[in-house]
Amino acid sequence: ETGVTQSPTHLIKTRGQQVTLRCSSQSGHNTVSWYQQALGQGPQFIFQYYREEENGRGNFPPRFSGLQFPNYSSELNVNALELDDSALYLCASSLGGGARSSSYNEQFFGPGTRLTVL
Amino acid sequence: AQSVTQPDIHITVSEGASLELRCNYSYGATPYLFWYVQSPGQGLQLLLKYFSGDTLVQGIKGFEAEFKRSQSSFNLRKPSVHWSDAAEYFCAVGSNTGNQFYFGTGTSLTVIP
């Protein structure tokens, strides 16, 4: 059984650019959540996708967007990068039942993508 | 608004000593509570979770946590710490709608021989 994988491992971008981060969920999982973890902070919930639709969103601006594909892999897109977007971006997959059950099921986290914005 | 507070930024304990990491939450409904551990270069790993029932929950690696509704707390404990327990520990609360998740700022644990 393959765990959650994320690519790339590290990424350097300049302010104003756009970036796409990728996540492959664990086999059998239909829910993917994305988190931003700034240095020395806890992860902050960005959004969650369940069966290809956004299922919940944290306090992040619209320039943070996502996609989930039929195989349940996912992308996080960030437009107009700012210096404060520098962080570790974590993806987590789980087997959800929609809006009322994703928190009941364990989230399995990937190792993250380290994004540096210069 | 939902939030999680971990008052201790950093804790140092001797190997073999007991450990308690504090967590307080703010949530309007019945909380779903979690403790995660993050080691350098590793992903977050679930230690234990509380949804309902017995307020003392057992987790992996010898950890346990107690839910105290009256104190809005979910403290993590271990009776005897091992050097390999040195890591960052995060408390988290999940919404009962299943589509929101909130982490605390973490407690860094150092274990001295």
Side-chain angles (χ1 to χ4, degrees):
Chain A
E1 185 178 88
T2 306
V4 179
T5 60
Q6 293 185 243
S7 63
T9 305
H10 295 88
L11 200 55
I12 299 175
K13 291 285 189 178
T14 56
R15 196 170 43 183
Q17 284 188 311
Q18 178 267 342
V19 68
T20 297
L21 310 181
R22 295 178 175 82
C23 171
S24 291
S25 58
Q26 187 163 311
S27 176
H29 287 182
N30 56 13
T31 301
V32 172
S33 301
W34 285 92
Y35 297 83
Q36 180 195 67
Q37 186 176 18
L39 200 61
Q41 300 296 316
Q44 288 196 58
F45 176 72
I46 303 175
F47 45 55
Q48 181 185 87
Y49 277 82
Y50 169 68
R51 292 190 174 180
E52 303 179 57
E53 293 194 0
E54 188 177 291
N55 187 45
R57 191 177 183 94
N59 189 27
F60 279 81
R63 60 188 184 86
F64 286 78
S65 63
L67 282 173
Q68 189 179 29
F69 300 100
N71 66 354
Y72 302 131
S73 65
S74 178
E75 288 182 352
L76 164 65
N77 299 290
V78 187
N79 293 322
L81 283 167
E82 301 176 0
L83 297 179
D84 285 349
D85 295 334
S86 294
L88 181 69
Y89 287 85
L90 297 168
C91 164
S93 76
S94 59
L95 179 59
R100 292 198 60 81
S101 60
S102 288
S103 271
Y104 292 73
N105 298 300
E106 180 177 353
Q107 295 184 83
F108 291 83
F109 284 82
T113 293
R114 175 73 63 187
L115 172 64
T116 301
V117 182
L118 302 175
Chain B
Q2 299 87 343
S3 67
V4 178
T5 302
Q6 294 181 247
D8 304 305
I9 296 173
H10 187 233
I11 284 182
T12 300
V13 298
S14 299
E15 191 168 16
S18 63
L19 171 70
E20 182 168 24
L21 303 182
R22 296 183 291 165
C23 172
N24 293 96
Y25 67 89
S26 173
Y27 188 68
T30 301
Y32 298 98
L33 296 161
F34 307 80
W35 274 99
Y36 284 85
V37 61
Q38 187 177 40
S39 299
Q42 303 291 318
L44 286 157
Q45 182 182 22
L46 180 67
L47 288 174
L48 48 77
K49 60 189 177 186
Y50 172 78
F51 291 161
S52 64
D54 193 347
T55 56
L56 185 63
V57 293
Q58 302 296 321
I60 62 171
K61 304 185 180 185
F63 286 93
E64 66 177 28
E66 185 171 12
F67 170 61
K68 293 185 177 180
R69 185 185 298 274
S70 61
Q71 299 177 19
S72 297
S73 69
F74 188 57
N75 293 349
L76 182 72
R77 300 194 295 247
K78 186 170 185 178
S80 178
V81 170
H82 187 262
W83 65 266
S84 61
D85 293 324
E88 190 84 17
Y89 290 81
F90 293 96
C91 181
V93 61
S95 69
N96 59 1
T97 54
N99 59 356
Q100 296 282 344
F101 213 73
Y102 304 91
F103 281 85
T105 52
T107 296
S108 177
L109 174 65
T110 297
V111 181
I112 55 177

